[in-house]
Amino acid sequence: MNAFEVRNLRVSYDDFEIISGIDLDIPAKTCFAIMGPSGCGKSTLLRTFNRLIEINENARVSGIIKLFGKNIFEIETSELRRRVGMVFQIPNPFPHLSVYENVAVGPKFNKMVKNKKELDKIVEWALKKAVLWDEVKDRLRERASNLSGGQMQRLCIARALALKPEVLLMDEPTANLDPISASKIEELIHELKKEYTMVIVTHSPSQASRIADYVAFLYLGKIVEIGRVEDVFENPKHELTEKYLTGRIG
């Protein structure tokens, strides 16, 4: 089963086309990496999957995107964004809220719990899923801004997981982290893909090779090559792909 099916997707800002008529299938419960150099449209593509692209009034989107068989433009946006969570490049917890409140805010807003006991269970469950519980269980009332960068990123992942999504989008989630924190995020992705569909944007081919099952190489708004990681990395079919993987472009 595919989590996403994309057909003839085009995205433009005013008259400038960023994504140029791409087709893409993303299998469920896998890690799918979208790689390519800066400015090729990776983040724009990711933001179409939960319609965050619509926040920009100048954005224009055409084509078809289906989430588990249903057109995402027929799904109410708040429901879509609950089912398709997002983690950004720069960790963005709510700095003036506590660690606990950062995770609890989504379930409370979406009325997913009936009482404090249920909420406590979801918060603990999400923090454990994000491999953060042991580090913060005695700091739940502290402001999230007191955490390290890597901890804040895992808190953002816990915040997304608390909404019980089906898909988790990650836009260069390790780009601003130290190597140890980045490694923890990559290990977490390996665990989460057993239960969730993970769609990761990265400018690093080496990271894509480590974490992904499938990869798409995006260049100047077009899909140059797509396939299983081992196939694309060991036997690229397109000259542009080979040049990117060997560092001659990008």
Side-chain angles (χ1 to χ4, degrees):
M1 175 184 291
N2 289 325
F4 283 110
E5 295 176 1
V6 179
R7 297 293 180 268
N8 196 29
L9 178 67
R10 295 182 180 274
V11 182
S12 60
Y13 294 111
D14 294 323
D15 295 326
F16 185 71
E17 191 169 71
I18 307 295
I19 301 296
S20 303
I22 69 170
D23 295 331
L24 187 63
D25 289 331
I26 298 180
K29 293 187 179 180
T30 62
C31 180
F32 191 103
I34 302 167
M35 65 179 185
S38 297
C40 70
K42 303 186 301 297
S43 295
T44 295
L45 175 58
L46 201 70
R47 289 166 182 261
T48 63
F49 291 146
N50 65 352
R51 294 173 58 186
L52 275 178
I53 193 75
E54 295 174 11
I55 293 174
N56 189 316
E57 295 180 355
N58 297 319
R60 298 291 180 270
V61 180
S62 66
I64 296 172
I65 305 175
K66 291 184 178 181
L67 173 66
F68 292 104
K70 185 167 183 179
N71 191 329
I72 66 167
F73 300 104
E74 297 175 357
I75 302 173
E76 203 276 324
T77 53
S78 62
E79 172 65 11
L80 177 66
R81 291 170 190 164
R82 185 198 66 76
R83 295 174 63 188
V84 183
M86 183 87 169
V87 176
F88 297 91
Q89 178 175 336
I90 298 175
N92 64 337
F94 304 119
H96 299 298
L97 295 184
S98 69
V99 171
Y100 179 97
E101 291 167 335
N102 262 273
V103 183
V105 64
K108 286 168 66 176
F109 180 79
N110 286 275
K111 300 179 181 179
M112 295 170 59
V113 293
K114 298 177 181 178
N115 53 55
K116 177 70 162 50
K117 187 175 181 180
E118 288 185 6
L119 187 59
D120 288 346
K121 287 182 178 179
I122 285 182
V123 170
E124 181 176 346
W125 173 86
L127 288 169
K128 285 181 175 178
K129 277 287 184 186
V131 197
L132 187 58
W133 174 254
D134 288 342
E135 297 170 43
V136 301
K137 62 184 178 184
D138 298 321
R139 304 174 62 189
L140 295 177
R141 299 305 169 186
E142 286 187 28
R143 286 188 175 186
S145 56
N146 291 342
L147 300 180
S148 70
Q151 289 173 329
M152 284 195 285
Q153 191 66 300
R154 281 180 284 147
L155 179 62
C156 293
I157 294 172
R159 185 176 64 190
L161 292 175
L163 290 171
K164 303 294 179 73
E166 297 161 71
V167 178
L168 197 56
L169 310 176
M170 291 187 167
D171 190 356
E172 306 236 25
T174 65
N176 289 283
L177 303 181
D178 63 85
I180 293 175
S181 296
S183 179
K184 288 183 179 180
I185 297 293
E186 290 187 5
E187 290 173 7
L188 177 56
I189 290 169
H190 276 291
E191 289 301 311
L192 291 176
K193 72 180 182 181
K194 297 174 184 177
E195 300 179 54
Y196 307 91
T197 303
M198 311 291 292
V199 186
I200 314 294
V201 156
T202 181
H203 68 276
S204 168
S206 60
Q207 183 175 67
S209 70
R210 288 193 301 270
I211 66 174
D213 302 295
Y214 295 87
V215 64
F217 172 43
L218 190 67
Y219 190 73
L220 298 179
K222 296 182 179 181
I223 297 289
V224 175
E225 191 160 342
I226 186 170
R228 296 195 67 89
V229 164
E230 57 268 28
D231 296 333
V232 173
F233 277 78
E234 294 173 12
N235 187 30
K237 297 177 181 178
H238 199 289
E239 183 182 2
L240 273 176
T241 309
E242 184 178 5
K243 286 183 176 181
Y244 179 71
L245 294 177
T246 56
R248 285 180 285 167
I249 59 171

